[in-house]
Amino acid sequence: MRTVYHYVNGETFEGTSGNTQPVLNPSTGKEQAAVALANKADVDSVIAESAKAQPGWAALNPQKRVRIIMEWIRLIHENMDELATQLSLEHGKTFPDAKGDVLRGVDVLEFALGAPHQLKGEYSSEVGTGIDTYSLRQPLGVVAGITPFNFPAMIPLWKAGPALAAGNAFVLKPSERDPSVPVRLAELFIEAGGPAGVLNVVHGGKEAVDAILDSDTIKAVGFVGSTPIAQYIYERCAATGKRAQCFGGAKNHAIVLPDADIDATADAIVGAAFGSAGERCMALSVVVPVGQDTADRLRDAILAKIPELKVGHCLDPEADYGPLVTAEARDRVHRLIAEGVEAGATLLADGRELDMSDKTFNEDSLADGFYSGPSFFDNVTADMSVYSEEIFGPVLVMVRAETLEEAVSYPNDHVYGNGVAIFTQNGGAARDFCKNVQVGMVGVNVPIPVPIAYHTFGGWKASGFGDLNQHGPDSFRFYTKTKTVTSRWPSDDSAGPQFTMPVM
């Protein structure tokens, strides 16, 4: 049985705890590896090694740093199939979806190649007689990322890329459910010419997380996961004087106006709701059609498409989506479906009925995999748990609204504010919606409005804690501190000591 160890100073580090956790293949339910779990002493030693490596890395000029990142990008592309296959086998998402996971991370590495420009300061001459003022952006030192299972390549790269380009050392604590790809990415960074110790990977649970949060050396923490943990990390970082960038749960809505192209909208919603088994923070899980006729037409169009979806092994080229990551994740989804039925919602498609007992792929039985078919509710109300909670599974709920104002009230009043979309051909309605909806990321006829790498990604309300968001210019602001210098070179006509506040 293979063991995934920590990766420190460019080599495998077994750690001292001796504790491991199984790494499962969600498609079959079988254990395929074990991952080493760090204790506090292990994490402290990893952070110490990062602190030793960081000054030399920061001393490289930004162009030299991004040349290494450029080679890192090339190596990721060269090893793409290997990375995507391993990601699929540990997470459960399909191979094409896994490639997308890696590529959206590479997008941010490509943006990070602009570090020489992003790190430029500002200069003002003659702000006073013989006085100049300028600013410069400097790295924080050692920073950390605590990243989720659902994007084991993209989110680590979103955080590590700008942090490294800015001159920081980066300690990555990825999910222990799918740890192999983060380690492989760190190996490729070293192969690209990255100095040992600048990018380290340590695995573990709460003890490892708390060791990062309590470290005096760590200056900033980026996190993606559930809202309770995001708030816990944000508050603990505040208590220890760290910067924090913490992203939590979501309940993304799609508003559908009567003039929308119903068939195209249904296609968009089905893909966004059920892709990756719904295990995306940007999954579209609530659809709010305006008007009963719109709702009935959209309901029928979605119902016509659901039977066409194929759920299967992550490497099956015919599968639209694969299993959930664990049996516990699947069972939670099924519990929430049962709660929706009990609350009075109309269950039009029941994913709990999916039977994989006689299914195989390449002679592997899928009977013990963590599968759930697509589920679709109608007549859902805001007081039901299937509406209020992030299900994080292949479940779509429909909430009916009579007016656009009523429809917009649903995302505006929800505790989460991550992503939202509107489907319409009315430019004025879309423009007003974009201005008035209280959500961080908005799509107009785009079901999953994940911004491109040179714009910022982040939700509002309980979906995000902290002002500066992931990727885009915000990432360089988050991973650097601004120093402002006011200078005057003395002349022969010194005026002597001054005892009042200087006036420029």
Side-chain angles (χ1 to χ4, degrees):
M1 184 68 66
R2 177 175 63 95
T3 300
V4 182
Y5 290 109
H6 321 291
Y7 190 74
V8 183
N9 275 341
E11 59 187 17
T12 296
F13 171 54
E14 295 188 8
T16 62
S17 76
N19 295 325
T20 63
Q21 176 175 311
V23 178
L24 305 178
N25 181 338
S27 293
T28 63
K30 302 293 191 298
E31 182 176 349
Q32 57 183 324
V35 58
L37 302 179
N39 56 26
K40 182 180 184 302
D42 293 333
V43 176
D44 288 345
S45 68
V46 172
I47 293 171
E49 294 302 317
S50 300
K52 292 177 187 175
Q54 189 271 332
W57 175 243
L60 283 179
N61 74 50
Q63 283 179 286
K64 291 182 178 179
R65 293 198 297 264
V66 301
R67 286 171 189 154
I68 291 171
I69 293 174
M70 191 180 301
E71 176 63 9
W72 192 19
I73 292 169
R74 189 192 68 78
L75 289 172
I76 290 172
H77 281 290
E78 187 176 276
N79 292 271
M80 181 63 69
D81 285 357
E82 172 205 342
L83 290 165
T85 300
Q86 190 64 61
L87 196 158
S88 292
L89 290 171
E90 291 185 358
H91 174 275
K93 64 178 65 178
T94 64
F95 179 77
D97 198 23
K99 290 183 75 171
D101 187 327
V102 180
L103 287 169
R104 287 309 293 261
V106 169
D107 284 349
V108 172
L109 292 187
E110 291 173 343
F111 173 76
L113 298 178
H117 175 73
Q118 294 292 330
L119 298 174
K120 285 193 308 185
E122 299 172 317
Y123 194 100
S124 296
S125 178
E126 296 295 331
V127 298
T129 304
I131 298 175
D132 303 326
T133 298
Y134 61 93
S135 64
L136 54 149
R137 305 198 71 88
Q138 296 182 319
L140 300 178
V142 182
V143 299
I146 301 169
T147 59
F149 76 87
N150 61 322
F151 285 99
M154 184 181 81
I155 302 296
L157 291 175
W158 278 12
K159 296 191 177 300
L164 292 168
N168 300 283
F170 192 81
V171 176
L172 173 61
K173 207 301 289 182
S175 172
E176 58 275 18
R177 294 175 183 173
D178 41 16
S180 296
V181 167
V183 170
R184 185 68 182 123
L185 290 171
E187 291 173 345
L188 292 175
F189 176 76
I190 295 297
E191 188 177 334
V198 169
L199 174 57
N200 293 322
V201 182
V202 61
H203 310 288
K206 186 176 186 300
E207 183 179 359
V209 168
D210 286 346
I212 289 171
L213 301 182
D214 293 342
S215 169
D216 292 333
T217 303
I218 298 290
K219 301 304 180 186
V221 175
F223 170 81
V224 177
S226 69
T227 287
I229 304 303
Q231 186 166 358
Y232 168 80
I233 290 175
Y234 187 71
E235 292 173 352
R236 193 147 177 167
C237 284
T240 55
K242 294 177 177 58
R243 291 188 184 184
Q245 179 195 65
C246 300
F247 298 95
K251 197 72 174 182
N252 305 311
H253 295 62
I255 312 301
V256 182
L257 299 191
D259 67 343
D261 181 326
I262 292 298
D263 194 59
T265 299
D267 276 335
I269 289 171
V270 166
F274 302 123
S276 197
E279 290 181 322
R280 295 170 174 158
C281 68
M282 293 297 287
L284 202 163
S285 52
V286 181
V287 58
V288 189
V290 177
Q292 296 304 316
D293 179 65
T294 308
D296 291 344
R297 289 188 295 129
L298 184 61
R299 174 202 61 201
D300 293 345
I302 292 172
L303 276 175
K305 296 178 187 301
I306 285 177
E308 301 172 0
L309 298 179
K310 179 177 179 181
V311 183
H313 191 286
C314 62
L315 299 182
D316 184 347
E318 297 182 359
D320 294 298
Y321 72 85
L324 285 95
V325 70
T326 62
E328 292 77 15
R330 177 202 58 205
D331 293 347
R332 178 180 178 275
V333 170
H334 289 180
R335 172 180 62 78
L336 284 164
I337 293 171
E339 290 180 7
V341 173
E342 185 177 350
T346 306
L347 184 57
L348 301 173
D350 189 349
R352 298 171 299 177
E353 298 175 350
L354 180 69
D355 184 6
M356 305 293 283
S357 60
D358 61 347
K359 300 292 192 300
T360 61
F361 179 74
N362 287 349
E363 300 183 357
D364 286 334
S365 171
L366 308 187
D368 295 323
F370 313 133
Y371 297 95
S372 182
S375 295
F376 180 35
F377 280 101
D378 193 3
N379 301 310
V380 170
T381 57
D383 58 342
M384 297 178 181
S385 61
V386 288
Y387 175 79
S388 60
E389 292 193 34
E390 181 181 34
I391 299 176
F392 224 58
V395 181
L396 175 66
V397 306
M398 179 180 285
V399 179
R400 294 176 175 238
E402 291 299 327
T403 65
L404 176 57
E405 290 73 22
E406 181 190 356
V408 175
S409 74
Y410 285 104
N412 279 358
D413 294 343
H414 204 284
V415 64
Y416 295 123
N418 200 51
V420 68
I422 187 169
F423 290 87
T424 181
Q425 298 180 58
N426 186 321
R431 186 174 184 274
D432 288 344
F433 176 81
C434 293
K435 180 173 65 175
N436 295 321
V437 72
Q438 298 301 301
V439 174
M441 292 171 284
V442 183
V444 178
N445 299 313
V446 174
I448 305 181
V450 178
I452 198 67
Y454 36 89
H455 286 267
T456 189
F457 177 110
W460 291 4
K461 297 181 281 189
S463 294
F465 299 85
D467 179 55
L468 295 175
N469 291 326
Q470 299 181 96
H471 64 66
D474 269 6
S475 60
F476 279 94
R477 298 185 188 107
F478 180 76
Y479 289 118
T480 60
K481 52 195 173 187
T482 302
K483 180 179 288 180
T484 305
V485 179
T486 302
S487 70
R488 178 176 62 186
W489 295 100
S491 61
D492 292 337
D493 55 343
S494 175
Q498 296 182 11
F499 301 98
T500 60
M501 187 70 179
V503 178
M504 298 293 187

